Amino acid sequence: MSELGEVVAERRIAGFRPEAVTRNAYLAAADVAAALLRTPMLAERWTAPSALPYYSTGGLARHLANQITRTAELLDAPPGHTAIDVLAHFTGSAWVTTGADEADNTDIRDRGERAAAETTADRLAAEVDGCLARLHRMVPAQPPYRIVDLGDWGLTVDDFLLTRLLELVVHTDDLAVSLDLPTPEMPTAATELTTDLLTRIAAWRHGPLAVVRALSRRERAPESVSAL
């Protein structure tokens, strides 16, 4: 066994489970998002444009809520059989690199807008709270080898929760800005896991040197190293 493997094994024996960091961060971020979805201002701004192009505030709220409600559905569903790497999940998804006007993104947006039109802010908040209560029971109980079936491919449960965590952190900020509210503070672990994953995606899109320059050399920084 390698030295690193021995360290990991020792930490597991001591009761430390690496997957618990992602799971706790996801649940904590979901709690923050759910609180924002309960704000009375959301009902007032439901049909108003959001901070994201082409999204109504209600459509954006529905998309944010999906990171909780859809997660509960997928964890309730039968497990998958094979999983890909979490970075491959993004590199294999066309919406990551296509523009806001292209089909992969308009399909996501249109589904959210239709779903928002069929509900209200109050009903959405109640749906989210119900699913979140279930997730607080379900997520810690997931075996580490569980594979979440996403249709075209699967992800291990902790990689899947990492992808949902990224969405929660990013879209909670989007919704708060749309409501002219201060962006709620996310737990440190949630932010660190999200920025780590975004950095990996950005390095894939733009090359690692571009990311290093963007973070360290203003005089040589590229115009953008946006991950998404």
Side-chain angles (χ1 to χ4, degrees):
M1 180 182 293
S2 68
E3 183 177 346
L4 177 60
E6 290 175 357
V7 170
V8 172
E10 289 174 1
R11 296 180 81 183
R12 281 186 174 277
I13 292 171
F16 175 79
R17 295 182 300 124
E19 65 271 14
V21 176
T22 301
R23 298 181 189 199
N24 291 341
Y26 167 79
L27 290 172
D31 286 338
V32 173
L36 182 62
L37 288 166
R38 294 186 208 107
T39 184
M41 193 178 297
L42 180 57
E44 300 171 14
R45 302 282 186 92
W46 192 256
T47 59
S50 76
L52 291 186
Y54 312 113
Y55 267 100
S56 69
T57 301
L60 174 59
R62 176 70 264 185
H63 185 70
L64 174 61
N66 286 348
Q67 313 317 316
I68 298 171
T69 60
R70 182 63 176 149
T71 297
E73 292 175 8
L74 288 169
L75 293 184
D76 265 339
H81 301 289
T82 58
I84 63 172
D85 179 77
V86 67
L87 185 59
H89 169 75
F90 289 97
T91 61
S93 298
W95 65 266
V96 174
T97 55
T98 55
D101 293 323
E102 298 186 50
D104 295 292
N105 283 300
T106 58
D107 287 348
I108 295 171
R109 189 166 60 245
D110 290 347
R111 288 197 300 271
E113 293 296 325
R114 288 194 299 270
E118 296 172 356
T119 191
T120 65
D122 288 343
R123 292 209 305 268
L124 183 64
E127 179 187 357
V128 166
D129 286 346
C131 289
L132 189 52
R134 288 167 51 209
L135 286 169
H136 273 281
R137 297 189 298 270
M138 296 166 63
V139 167
Q142 296 296 309
Y145 52 81
R146 163 74 191 273
I147 295 174
V148 179
D149 185 1
L150 300 178
D152 292 333
W153 53 70
L155 289 171
T156 63
V157 65
D158 297 296
D159 278 350
F160 169 68
L161 292 172
L162 179 58
T163 68
R164 299 311 90 197
L165 173 61
L166 183 153
E167 296 273 352
L168 286 169
V169 171
V170 169
H171 291 307
T172 294
D173 179 42
D174 290 331
L175 184 58
V177 172
S178 301
L179 297 173
D180 294 319
L181 295 173
T183 298
E185 183 176 354
M186 284 288 180
T188 300
T191 303
E192 289 180 349
L193 287 166
T194 298
T195 53
D196 176 72
L197 182 53
L198 286 171
T199 300
R200 293 169 62 191
I201 300 168
W204 166 73
R205 287 193 66 178
H206 306 282
L209 180 58
V211 175
V212 170
R213 286 176 170 174
L215 296 174
S216 66
R217 290 291 179 263
R218 285 179 294 177
E219 66 274 17
R220 293 197 297 275
E223 183 176 344
S224 172
V225 289
S226 175
L228 304 175

